[in-house]
Amino acid sequence: MADYVVSCCSTADLSEKHLNERYIHYICFHYELDGKWYLDDLGKTMDIADFYKAMVEGATTSTSQINAEEYAEYFEQFLKEGKDVIHISLSSGISGTVNSAFLAQKDLAEKYPDRKIYIVDSLAASSGYGLLMDKIADLRDSGMGIDELYKWIEENKLRVHHWFFTSDLTYLVRGGRVSKVSGFVGNLLNICPLLNVDVNGKLIPREKIRTKKKAMAAAVKKMEEFADKGLDYDGKCYISMSACREDAEVLAGMIEEKFPKIDGKVLINNIGTTIGSHTGPGTVALFFWGSKRED
């Protein structure tokens, strides 16, 4: 086992079992549901299905990033054990939490001058962030040292592609990514916008597509266009979804048929409570390794 700790935020949207099996440590975001605050602890405090059910029934949601004090307490437990730490944070294009991690790093560097603490802005989110973490665990297990791993992540993190679509524009309107008028008209016309995460780690609407079936086909086409080796893609592929598993399973089947050399089955994960507070139910996201993202 490596003499350093690999760490992420709960917003990597992998299951606790997955993270534990890969020896990936994590720190939890916070979310508010109808005025009560909870830890985004991968469904332990509140089942994720119950969370989305509450949203459908009209519950209000908000989120709170991890602050510097929380990061410092979290990192220090490993430093006290004589371990170095490499923490990969949720994209700065979505949250300011990486700045809190840097503040904690600065304070702890003075207290533990012999230890290394690397902080990385993933420029990724949800199970795209999770796909990156899984590869990082592979490289650690292969014997890569922390310095080389940090360099590899910075050079390769933009190769993780994220393509999202949603069948309900309500929450994109709330978040300001779609205007109220466009959202109203879009819902009437059954518009499923296709979005991706850009080079700055921001979620950007790319195409207005009518019907969910066509949005799925468009996502598959993006994978054909950008994935390593095109239709011969042989890496891992993840999908995350918010209370719409049937849609995710349909898309996974399309991917497995189109890309027969893929590494195993497509892994379907839940969009967790932090990301889900902003996307709402009805969102499906596709993640794979490909060419470096560009504007």
Side-chain angles (χ1 to χ4, degrees):
M1 184 57 62
D3 59 354
Y4 60 89
V5 167
V6 166
S7 168
C8 66
C9 307
S10 57
T11 44
D13 286 350
L14 296 176
S15 69
E16 183 181 34
K17 180 176 183 290
H18 190 140
L19 291 168
N20 288 342
E21 287 178 349
R22 298 311 315 272
Y23 297 99
I24 300 170
H25 294 266
Y26 66 94
I27 183 170
C28 298
F29 266 66
H30 316 264
Y31 69 95
E32 183 185 29
L33 184 70
D34 272 348
K36 184 176 180 180
W37 284 96
Y38 302 87
L39 276 180
D40 176 10
D41 56 5
L42 311 180
K44 287 188 290 185
T45 300
M46 176 182 291
D47 187 87
I48 293 176
D50 292 337
F51 169 77
Y52 285 116
K53 182 174 182 290
M55 290 188 79
V56 169
E57 292 173 351
T60 58
T61 59
S62 63
T63 58
S64 174
Q65 66 187 37
I66 304 158
N67 63 41
E69 291 75 18
E70 289 172 301
Y71 275 120
E73 182 179 358
Y74 169 71
F75 293 149
E76 191 166 22
Q77 65 180 316
F78 307 121
L79 302 175
K80 285 179 176 178
E81 295 173 356
K83 297 275 190 178
D84 295 329
V85 177
I86 182 164
H87 177 77
I88 297 84
S89 175
L90 176 64
S91 172
S92 60
I94 293 173
S95 168
T97 194
V98 67
N99 297 319
S100 297
F102 278 123
L103 287 173
Q105 175 198 45
K106 182 179 179 181
D107 289 343
L108 291 169
E110 297 176 2
K111 191 174 181 180
Y112 296 89
D114 296 328
R115 296 266 59 86
K116 295 176 181 178
I117 311 169
Y118 283 116
I119 305 297
V120 180
D121 178 357
S122 71
L123 298 177
S126 192
S127 293
Y129 180 10
L131 186 63
L132 176 62
M133 293 307 304
D134 208 57
K135 180 63 176 179
I136 289 167
D138 287 341
L139 295 172
R140 176 206 59 202
D141 293 349
S142 73
M144 186 176 285
I146 192 171
D147 300 324
E148 188 180 359
L149 181 58
Y150 172 73
K151 182 179 178 182
W152 185 94
I153 299 168
E154 290 292 2
E155 291 176 348
N156 289 275
K157 62 189 182 183
L158 286 176
R159 291 180 49 236
V160 180
H161 284 253
H162 309 55
W163 291 95
F164 295 70
F165 65 86
T166 181
S167 56
D168 187 347
L169 299 176
T170 303
Y171 298 91
L172 293 180
V173 171
R174 286 186 187 177
R177 291 186 173 88
V178 174
S179 71
K180 289 183 179 180
V181 172
S182 295
F184 176 75
V185 173
N187 281 331
L188 283 179
L189 297 177
N190 200 19
I191 297 294
C192 291
L194 187 68
L195 308 92
N196 82 330
V197 172
D198 71 0
V199 294
N200 298 311
K202 295 181 178 181
L203 187 60
I204 305 295
R206 296 299 187 185
E207 299 178 24
K208 294 179 180 179
I209 300 173
R210 194 168 184 180
T211 79
K212 186 163 48 181
K213 182 178 179 180
K214 290 181 179 178
M216 288 185 185
V220 174
K221 190 70 176 176
K222 293 298 183 183
M223 184 167 174
E224 182 179 346
E225 180 181 356
F226 294 111
D228 288 339
K229 303 179 183 178
L231 292 175
D232 290 326
Y233 179 71
D234 57 4
K236 292 181 180 178
C237 178
Y238 287 176
I239 288 174
S240 62
M241 58 84 201
S242 52
C244 52
R245 188 170 186 90
E246 288 185 5
D247 292 340
E249 289 175 347
V250 170
L251 180 59
M254 294 169 67
I255 294 295
E256 289 167 3
E257 181 178 1
K258 192 79 171 179
F259 301 87
K261 296 181 181 180
I262 201 167
D263 183 2
K265 304 287 285 184
V266 174
L267 179 66
I268 299 175
N269 299 298
N270 288 306
I271 295 177
T273 50
T274 297
I275 303 295
S277 292
H278 302 284
T279 65
T283 298
V284 178
L286 171 66
F287 311 99
F288 55 88
W289 289 96
S291 55
K292 200 167 185 179
R293 294 184 334 238
E294 297 178 353
D295 278 334

Tab-separated table of all heavy atoms in Angstrom, residues 81-137:
chain	number	residue	atom	x	y	z
A	81	GLU	N	-0.714	10.410	11.183
A	81	GLU	CA	-0.310	9.012	10.988
A	81	GLU	C	0.977	8.906	10.173
A	81	GLU	O	1.444	7.796	9.877
A	81	GLU	CB	-1.421	8.246	10.268
A	81	GLU	CG	-2.709	8.118	11.080
A	81	GLU	CD	-3.840	7.492	10.266
A	81	GLU	OE1	-3.638	7.228	9.051
A	81	GLU	OE2	-4.923	7.279	10.831
A	82	GLY	N	1.543	10.051	9.794
A	82	GLY	CA	2.757	10.045	8.998
A	82	GLY	C	2.522	9.846	7.515
A	82	GLY	O	3.448	9.509	6.767
A	83	LYS	N	1.285	10.077	7.059
A	83	LYS	CA	0.931	9.904	5.657
A	83	LYS	C	0.932	11.241	4.923
A	83	LYS	O	0.525	12.266	5.479
A	83	LYS	CB	-0.471	9.291	5.538
A	83	LYS	CG	-0.604	7.901	6.134
A	83	LYS	CD	-0.179	6.853	5.125
A	83	LYS	CE	-0.547	5.460	5.609
A	83	LYS	NZ	-0.184	4.420	4.614
A	84	ASP	N	1.362	11.226	3.674
A	84	ASP	CA	1.158	12.371	2.797
A	84	ASP	C	-0.261	12.289	2.229
A	84	ASP	O	-0.910	11.238	2.295
A	84	ASP	CB	2.182	12.372	1.669
A	84	ASP	CG	3.605	12.560	2.182
A	84	ASP	OD1	3.778	13.242	3.207
A	84	ASP	OD2	4.532	11.991	1.559
A	85	VAL	N	-0.743	13.401	1.659
A	85	VAL	CA	-2.125	13.452	1.173
A	85	VAL	C	-2.171	14.085	-0.217
A	85	VAL	O	-1.533	15.111	-0.461
A	85	VAL	CB	-3.021	14.286	2.121
A	85	VAL	CG1	-4.431	14.403	1.563
A	85	VAL	CG2	-3.052	13.684	3.519
A	86	ILE	N	-2.944	13.470	-1.119
A	86	ILE	CA	-3.287	14.122	-2.375
A	86	ILE	C	-4.810	14.150	-2.448
A	86	ILE	O	-5.466	13.108	-2.476
A	86	ILE	CB	-2.649	13.429	-3.602
A	86	ILE	CG1	-3.001	14.196	-4.886
A	86	ILE	CG2	-3.012	11.949	-3.693
A	86	ILE	CD1	-2.126	13.823	-6.076
A	87	HIS	N	-5.363	15.366	-2.414
A	87	HIS	CA	-6.813	15.538	-2.415
A	87	HIS	C	-7.247	16.160	-3.725
A	87	HIS	O	-6.752	17.208	-4.127
A	87	HIS	CB	-7.261	16.435	-1.256
A	87	HIS	CG	-8.740	16.705	-1.268
A	87	HIS	ND1	-9.656	15.776	-0.851
A	87	HIS	CD2	-9.445	17.794	-1.684
A	87	HIS	CE1	-10.883	16.283	-0.996
A	87	HIS	NE2	-10.775	17.497	-1.493
A	88	ILE	N	-8.181	15.500	-4.388
A	88	ILE	CA	-8.729	15.987	-5.646
A	88	ILE	C	-10.108	16.550	-5.348
A	88	ILE	O	-10.976	15.855	-4.817
A	88	ILE	CB	-8.787	14.873	-6.705
A	88	ILE	CG1	-7.363	14.375	-7.022
A	88	ILE	CG2	-9.442	15.374	-7.990
A	88	ILE	CD1	-6.821	13.343	-6.075
A	89	SER	N	-10.320	17.810	-5.666
A	89	SER	CA	-11.529	18.527	-5.277
A	89	SER	C	-12.540	18.622	-6.418
A	89	SER	O	-12.183	18.556	-7.597
A	89	SER	CB	-11.156	19.942	-4.826
A	89	SER	OG	-12.301	20.711	-4.556
A	90	LEU	N	-13.806	18.798	-6.048
A	90	LEU	CA	-14.850	19.116	-7.019
A	90	LEU	C	-14.434	20.352	-7.827
A	90	LEU	O	-13.786	21.263	-7.313
A	90	LEU	CB	-16.161	19.402	-6.284
A	90	LEU	CG	-17.357	19.861	-7.129
A	90	LEU	CD1	-17.794	18.772	-8.096
A	90	LEU	CD2	-18.522	20.267	-6.226
A	91	SER	N	-14.828	20.394	-9.082
A	91	SER	CA	-14.452	21.466	-10.000
A	91	SER	C	-14.678	22.868	-9.438
A	91	SER	O	-15.735	23.169	-8.881
A	91	SER	CB	-15.252	21.331	-11.298
A	91	SER	OG	-15.048	22.450	-12.137
A	92	SER	N	-13.679	23.725	-9.633
A	92	SER	CA	-13.809	25.129	-9.235
A	92	SER	C	-14.845	25.860	-10.086
A	92	SER	O	-15.311	26.933	-9.700
A	92	SER	CB	-12.459	25.837	-9.367
A	92	SER	OG	-12.008	25.788	-10.718
A	93	GLY	N	-15.211	25.283	-11.237
A	93	GLY	CA	-16.250	25.886	-12.062
A	93	GLY	C	-17.642	25.670	-11.517
A	93	GLY	O	-18.606	26.269	-11.997
A	94	ILE	N	-17.752	24.818	-10.500
A	94	ILE	CA	-19.043	24.503	-9.896
A	94	ILE	C	-19.102	24.946	-8.440
A	94	ILE	O	-20.148	25.358	-7.943
A	94	ILE	CB	-19.307	22.984	-10.008
A	94	ILE	CG1	-19.487	22.600	-11.488
A	94	ILE	CG2	-20.513	22.547	-9.185
A	94	ILE	CD1	-19.593	21.115	-11.723
A	95	SER	N	-17.972	24.878	-7.747
A	95	SER	CA	-17.932	25.193	-6.320
A	95	SER	C	-16.602	25.846	-5.970
A	95	SER	O	-15.573	25.581	-6.601
A	95	SER	CB	-18.107	23.905	-5.501
A	95	SER	OG	-17.809	24.104	-4.138
A	96	GLY	N	-16.618	26.670	-4.932
A	96	GLY	CA	-15.393	27.300	-4.435
A	96	GLY	C	-14.677	26.470	-3.393
A	96	GLY	O	-13.710	26.945	-2.773
A	97	THR	N	-15.084	25.222	-3.201
A	97	THR	CA	-14.531	24.421	-2.111
A	97	THR	C	-13.035	24.181	-2.247
A	97	THR	O	-12.335	24.033	-1.251
A	97	THR	CB	-15.283	23.077	-2.004
A	97	THR	OG1	-14.958	22.453	-0.767
A	97	THR	CG2	-14.935	22.139	-3.151
A	98	VAL	N	-12.517	24.157	-3.481
A	98	VAL	CA	-11.087	23.927	-3.653
A	98	VAL	C	-10.270	25.037	-2.991
A	98	VAL	O	-9.167	24.791	-2.479
A	98	VAL	CB	-10.721	23.797	-5.151
A	98	VAL	CG1	-10.910	25.109	-5.887
A	98	VAL	CG2	-9.300	23.276	-5.316
A	99	ASN	N	-10.805	26.258	-2.942
A	99	ASN	CA	-10.096	27.354	-2.279
A	99	ASN	C	-9.979	27.107	-0.775
A	99	ASN	O	-8.954	27.432	-0.161
A	99	ASN	CB	-10.818	28.678	-2.545
A	99	ASN	CG	-10.825	29.047	-4.016
A	99	ASN	OD1	-9.825	28.867	-4.707
A	99	ASN	ND2	-11.944	29.545	-4.499
A	100	SER	N	-11.019	26.514	-0.200
A	100	SER	CA	-10.962	26.161	1.219
A	100	SER	C	-9.913	25.084	1.460
A	100	SER	O	-9.201	25.102	2.469
A	100	SER	CB	-12.333	25.672	1.698
A	100	SER	OG	-13.300	26.694	1.587
A	101	ALA	N	-9.806	24.156	0.536
A	101	ALA	CA	-8.798	23.096	0.658
A	101	ALA	C	-7.393	23.682	0.591
A	101	ALA	O	-6.492	23.275	1.341
A	101	ALA	CB	-8.998	22.059	-0.440
A	102	PHE	N	-7.193	24.673	-0.278
A	102	PHE	CA	-5.883	25.320	-0.376
A	102	PHE	C	-5.544	26.075	0.917
A	102	PHE	O	-4.384	26.092	1.348
A	102	PHE	CB	-5.848	26.269	-1.568
A	102	PHE	CG	-5.563	25.599	-2.886
A	102	PHE	CD1	-6.448	25.729	-3.949
A	102	PHE	CD2	-4.420	24.838	-3.070
A	102	PHE	CE1	-6.199	25.110	-5.163
A	102	PHE	CE2	-4.151	24.219	-4.291
A	102	PHE	CZ	-5.042	24.358	-5.331
A	103	LEU	N	-6.542	26.709	1.531
A	103	LEU	CA	-6.304	27.401	2.796
A	103	LEU	C	-5.878	26.419	3.874
A	103	LEU	O	-4.940	26.687	4.654
A	103	LEU	CB	-7.569	28.145	3.231
A	103	LEU	CG	-7.934	29.398	2.440
A	103	LEU	CD1	-9.306	29.919	2.879
A	103	LEU	CD2	-6.872	30.489	2.628
A	104	ALA	N	-6.551	25.279	3.935
A	104	ALA	CA	-6.192	24.256	4.913
A	104	ALA	C	-4.785	23.727	4.645
A	104	ALA	O	-3.994	23.504	5.573
A	104	ALA	CB	-7.213	23.121	4.872
A	105	GLN	N	-4.467	23.541	3.379
A	105	GLN	CA	-3.132	23.071	3.001
A	105	GLN	C	-2.054	24.024	3.507
A	105	GLN	O	-1.029	23.601	4.070
A	105	GLN	CB	-3.039	22.946	1.485
A	105	GLN	CG	-1.669	22.581	0.945
A	105	GLN	CD	-1.534	22.912	-0.541
A	105	GLN	OE1	-1.939	23.989	-0.980
A	105	GLN	NE2	-0.985	21.989	-1.300
A	106	LYS	N	-2.292	25.317	3.318
A	106	LYS	CA	-1.308	26.325	3.734
A	106	LYS	C	-1.080	26.295	5.239
A	106	LYS	O	0.071	26.333	5.714
A	106	LYS	CB	-1.791	27.713	3.303
A	106	LYS	CG	-0.823	28.834	3.640
A	106	LYS	CD	-1.341	30.181	3.154
A	106	LYS	CE	-0.384	31.304	3.513
A	106	LYS	NZ	-0.900	32.639	3.068
A	107	ASP	N	-2.149	26.216	6.005
A	107	ASP	CA	-2.024	26.188	7.465
A	107	ASP	C	-1.319	24.921	7.941
A	107	ASP	O	-0.451	24.967	8.831
A	107	ASP	CB	-3.404	26.276	8.115
A	107	ASP	CG	-4.028	27.650	7.972
A	107	ASP	OD1	-3.296	28.604	7.660
A	107	ASP	OD2	-5.258	27.766	8.145
A	108	LEU	N	-1.659	23.789	7.356
A	108	LEU	CA	-1.087	22.522	7.801
A	108	LEU	C	0.363	22.347	7.366
A	108	LEU	O	1.132	21.641	8.025
A	108	LEU	CB	-1.937	21.358	7.287
A	108	LEU	CG	-3.313	21.235	7.925
A	108	LEU	CD1	-4.167	20.215	7.163
A	108	LEU	CD2	-3.207	20.838	9.395
A	109	ALA	N	0.738	22.999	6.261
A	109	ALA	CA	2.121	22.907	5.796
A	109	ALA	C	3.087	23.484	6.826
A	109	ALA	O	4.217	22.991	6.983
A	109	ALA	CB	2.275	23.638	4.465
A	110	GLU	N	2.647	24.497	7.550
A	110	GLU	CA	3.485	25.089	8.598
A	110	GLU	C	3.572	24.166	9.820
A	110	GLU	O	4.606	24.087	10.476
A	110	GLU	CB	2.909	26.442	9.008
A	110	GLU	CG	2.898	27.475	7.876
A	110	GLU	CD	2.241	28.774	8.282
A	110	GLU	OE1	1.819	28.893	9.455
A	110	GLU	OE2	2.143	29.678	7.425
A	111	LYS	N	2.493	23.459	10.084
A	111	LYS	CA	2.431	22.579	11.252
A	111	LYS	C	3.113	21.236	10.989
A	111	LYS	O	3.672	20.620	11.912
A	111	LYS	CB	0.967	22.356	11.628
A	111	LYS	CG	0.752	21.680	12.965
A	111	LYS	CD	-0.733	21.655	13.303
A	111	LYS	CE	-0.979	20.996	14.664
A	111	LYS	NZ	-2.441	20.969	14.987
A	112	TYR	N	3.094	20.798	9.734
A	112	TYR	CA	3.686	19.503	9.365
A	112	TYR	C	4.649	19.709	8.188
A	112	TYR	O	4.369	19.299	7.053
A	112	TYR	CB	2.590	18.505	8.970
A	112	TYR	CG	1.645	18.152	10.093
A	112	TYR	CD1	0.489	18.902	10.315
A	112	TYR	CD2	1.904	17.075	10.936
A	112	TYR	CE1	-0.380	18.585	11.354
A	112	TYR	CE2	1.036	16.743	11.976
A	112	TYR	CZ	-0.106	17.507	12.169
A	112	TYR	OH	-0.957	17.192	13.199
A	113	PRO	N	5.780	20.361	8.435
A	113	PRO	CA	6.689	20.717	7.333
A	113	PRO	C	7.305	19.522	6.608
A	113	PRO	O	7.788	19.666	5.485
A	113	PRO	CB	7.765	21.555	8.034
A	113	PRO	CG	7.714	21.117	9.467
A	113	PRO	CD	6.282	20.811	9.749
A	114	ASP	N	7.284	18.343	7.235
A	114	ASP	CA	7.880	17.164	6.622
A	114	ASP	C	6.887	16.344	5.789
A	114	ASP	O	7.243	15.324	5.197
A	114	ASP	CB	8.489	16.250	7.690
A	114	ASP	CG	9.640	16.921	8.430
A	114	ASP	OD1	10.346	17.733	7.801
A	114	ASP	OD2	9.819	16.648	9.631
A	115	ARG	N	5.656	16.792	5.765
A	115	ARG	CA	4.618	16.050	5.048
A	115	ARG	C	4.244	16.795	3.759
A	115	ARG	O	4.352	18.021	3.684
A	115	ARG	CB	3.366	15.884	5.907
A	115	ARG	CG	3.583	15.046	7.181
A	115	ARG	CD	3.239	13.578	6.966
A	115	ARG	NE	3.998	12.923	5.937
A	115	ARG	CZ	5.200	12.366	6.155
A	115	ARG	NH1	5.786	12.446	7.340
A	115	ARG	NH2	5.819	11.751	5.166
A	116	LYS	N	3.775	16.042	2.776
A	116	LYS	CA	3.310	16.625	1.518
A	116	LYS	C	1.780	16.632	1.496
A	116	LYS	O	1.145	15.639	1.847
A	116	LYS	CB	3.820	15.804	0.332
A	116	LYS	CG	5.326	15.824	0.165
A	116	LYS	CD	5.756	14.912	-0.976
A	116	LYS	CE	7.280	14.919	-1.116
A	116	LYS	NZ	7.732	13.989	-2.200
A	117	ILE	N	1.214	17.771	1.080
A	117	ILE	CA	-0.229	17.886	0.894
A	117	ILE	C	-0.462	18.500	-0.485
A	117	ILE	O	-0.192	19.679	-0.703
A	117	ILE	CB	-0.894	18.785	1.961
A	117	ILE	CG1	-0.449	18.409	3.368
A	117	ILE	CG2	-2.418	18.709	1.846
A	117	ILE	CD1	-0.867	19.416	4.424
A	118	TYR	N	-0.935	17.698	-1.404
A	118	TYR	CA	-1.260	18.189	-2.742
A	118	TYR	C	-2.770	18.405	-2.844
A	118	TYR	O	-3.558	17.554	-2.425
A	118	TYR	CB	-0.849	17.171	-3.809
A	118	TYR	CG	0.626	17.132	-4.119
A	118	TYR	CD1	1.381	15.990	-3.864
A	118	TYR	CD2	1.256	18.224	-4.697
A	118	TYR	CE1	2.731	15.935	-4.164
A	118	TYR	CE2	2.616	18.183	-5.004
A	118	TYR	CZ	3.351	17.030	-4.732
A	118	TYR	OH	4.684	16.995	-5.044
A	119	ILE	N	-3.157	19.537	-3.430
A	119	ILE	CA	-4.564	19.830	-3.710
A	119	ILE	C	-4.703	19.978	-5.223
A	119	ILE	O	-3.943	20.722	-5.863
A	119	ILE	CB	-5.033	21.129	-3.020
A	119	ILE	CG1	-4.752	21.073	-1.511
A	119	ILE	CG2	-6.521	21.365	-3.310
A	119	ILE	CD1	-5.487	19.980	-0.765
A	120	VAL	N	-5.682	19.284	-5.801
A	120	VAL	CA	-5.911	19.326	-7.241
A	120	VAL	C	-7.346	19.773	-7.518
A	120	VAL	O	-8.287	19.247	-6.923
A	120	VAL	CB	-5.698	17.941	-7.891
A	120	VAL	CG1	-5.945	18.009	-9.401
A	120	VAL	CG2	-4.299	17.409	-7.599
A	121	ASP	N	-7.500	20.740	-8.408
A	121	ASP	CA	-8.820	21.116	-8.907
A	121	ASP	C	-9.152	20.135	-10.030
A	121	ASP	O	-8.534	20.149	-11.094
A	121	ASP	CB	-8.772	22.549	-9.436
A	121	ASP	CG	-10.089	23.033	-10.016
A	121	ASP	OD1	-11.057	22.243	-10.067
A	121	ASP	OD2	-10.141	24.208	-10.437
A	122	SER	N	-10.121	19.269	-9.814
A	122	SER	CA	-10.421	18.213	-10.790
A	122	SER	C	-10.953	18.750	-12.108
A	122	SER	O	-10.824	18.095	-13.147
A	122	SER	CB	-11.438	17.229	-10.204
A	122	SER	OG	-12.718	17.841	-10.104
A	123	LEU	N	-11.607	19.922	-12.065
A	123	LEU	CA	-12.339	20.435	-13.227
A	123	LEU	C	-13.341	19.396	-13.723
A	123	LEU	O	-13.658	19.310	-14.907
A	123	LEU	CB	-11.379	20.847	-14.350
A	123	LEU	CG	-10.400	21.972	-14.000
A	123	LEU	CD1	-9.467	22.247	-15.163
A	123	LEU	CD2	-11.136	23.240	-13.595
A	124	ALA	N	-13.850	18.607	-12.771
A	124	ALA	CA	-14.776	17.518	-13.080
A	124	ALA	C	-15.861	17.477	-12.015
A	124	ALA	O	-15.755	18.110	-10.965
A	124	ALA	CB	-14.027	16.187	-13.134
A	125	ALA	N	-16.914	16.703	-12.312
A	125	ALA	CA	-18.036	16.616	-11.380
A	125	ALA	C	-18.724	15.272	-11.516
A	125	ALA	O	-18.578	14.570	-12.516
A	125	ALA	CB	-19.041	17.738	-11.638
A	126	SER	N	-19.505	14.939	-10.497
A	126	SER	CA	-20.293	13.720	-10.458
A	126	SER	C	-19.408	12.524	-10.819
A	126	SER	O	-18.240	12.473	-10.431
A	126	SER	CB	-21.526	13.848	-11.359
A	126	SER	OG	-22.434	12.794	-11.127
A	127	SER	N	-19.927	11.549	-11.528
A	127	SER	CA	-19.155	10.333	-11.766
A	127	SER	C	-18.060	10.503	-12.816
A	127	SER	O	-17.276	9.586	-13.043
A	127	SER	CB	-20.083	9.178	-12.149
A	127	SER	OG	-20.901	8.824	-11.068
A	128	GLY	N	-17.978	11.694	-13.458
A	128	GLY	CA	-16.790	12.016	-14.245
A	128	GLY	C	-15.614	12.225	-13.304
A	128	GLY	O	-14.496	11.741	-13.540
A	129	TYR	N	-15.867	12.928	-12.243
A	129	TYR	CA	-14.927	13.091	-11.131
A	129	TYR	C	-14.615	11.707	-10.559
A	129	TYR	O	-13.451	11.373	-10.281
A	129	TYR	CB	-15.627	13.999	-10.130
A	129	TYR	CG	-14.974	14.394	-8.853
A	129	TYR	CD1	-13.642	14.158	-8.556
A	129	TYR	CD2	-15.748	15.070	-7.900
A	129	TYR	CE1	-13.102	14.570	-7.347
A	129	TYR	CE2	-15.220	15.493	-6.704
A	129	TYR	CZ	-13.894	15.236	-6.424
A	129	TYR	OH	-13.364	15.651	-5.225
A	130	GLY	N	-15.638	10.860	-10.435
A	130	GLY	CA	-15.435	9.504	-9.944
A	130	GLY	C	-14.585	8.661	-10.876
A	130	GLY	O	-13.751	7.865	-10.433
A	131	LEU	N	-14.776	8.824	-12.192
A	131	LEU	CA	-13.973	8.102	-13.173
A	131	LEU	C	-12.503	8.492	-13.041
A	131	LEU	O	-11.604	7.634	-13.119
A	131	LEU	CB	-14.487	8.418	-14.581
A	131	LEU	CG	-13.862	7.655	-15.747
A	131	LEU	CD1	-14.130	6.165	-15.649
A	131	LEU	CD2	-14.384	8.196	-17.081
A	132	LEU	N	-12.254	9.773	-12.832
A	132	LEU	CA	-10.892	10.247	-12.594
A	132	LEU	C	-10.310	9.626	-11.333
A	132	LEU	O	-9.164	9.150	-11.320
A	132	LEU	CB	-10.891	11.779	-12.487
A	132	LEU	CG	-9.563	12.451	-12.152
A	132	LEU	CD1	-8.527	12.180	-13.236
A	132	LEU	CD2	-9.755	13.959	-11.956
A	133	MET	N	-11.097	9.579	-10.250
A	133	MET	CA	-10.618	9.010	-8.992
A	133	MET	C	-10.291	7.528	-9.140
A	133	MET	O	-9.321	7.029	-8.568
A	133	MET	CB	-11.659	9.201	-7.887
A	133	MET	CG	-11.899	10.646	-7.471
A	133	MET	SD	-10.391	11.569	-7.032
A	133	MET	CE	-9.688	10.518	-5.746
A	134	ASP	N	-11.089	6.811	-9.908
A	134	ASP	CA	-10.846	5.383	-10.104
A	134	ASP	C	-9.513	5.151	-10.822
A	134	ASP	O	-8.758	4.241	-10.474
A	134	ASP	CB	-12.004	4.777	-10.898
A	134	ASP	CG	-12.218	3.313	-10.588
A	134	ASP	OD1	-12.422	2.982	-9.412
A	134	ASP	OD2	-12.183	2.491	-11.529
A	135	LYS	N	-9.221	5.984	-11.814
A	135	LYS	CA	-7.943	5.876	-12.523
A	135	LYS	C	-6.783	6.230	-11.603
A	135	LYS	O	-5.715	5.587	-11.642
A	135	LYS	CB	-7.956	6.803	-13.742
A	135	LYS	CG	-6.668	6.783	-14.556
A	135	LYS	CD	-6.401	5.416	-15.157
A	135	LYS	CE	-5.181	5.424	-16.054
A	135	LYS	NZ	-4.892	4.077	-16.627
A	136	ILE	N	-6.976	7.230	-10.767
A	136	ILE	CA	-5.942	7.623	-9.804
A	136	ILE	C	-5.628	6.455	-8.871
A	136	ILE	O	-4.454	6.184	-8.555
A	136	ILE	CB	-6.404	8.860	-9.016
A	136	ILE	CG1	-6.394	10.094	-9.928
A	136	ILE	CG2	-5.537	9.095	-7.788
A	136	ILE	CD1	-7.114	11.291	-9.352
A	137	ALA	N	-6.670	5.746	-8.430
A	137	ALA	CA	-6.450	4.578	-7.569
A	137	ALA	C	-5.670	3.496	-8.312
A	137	ALA	O	-4.806	2.825	-7.728
A	137	ALA	CB	-7.792	4.042	-7.078
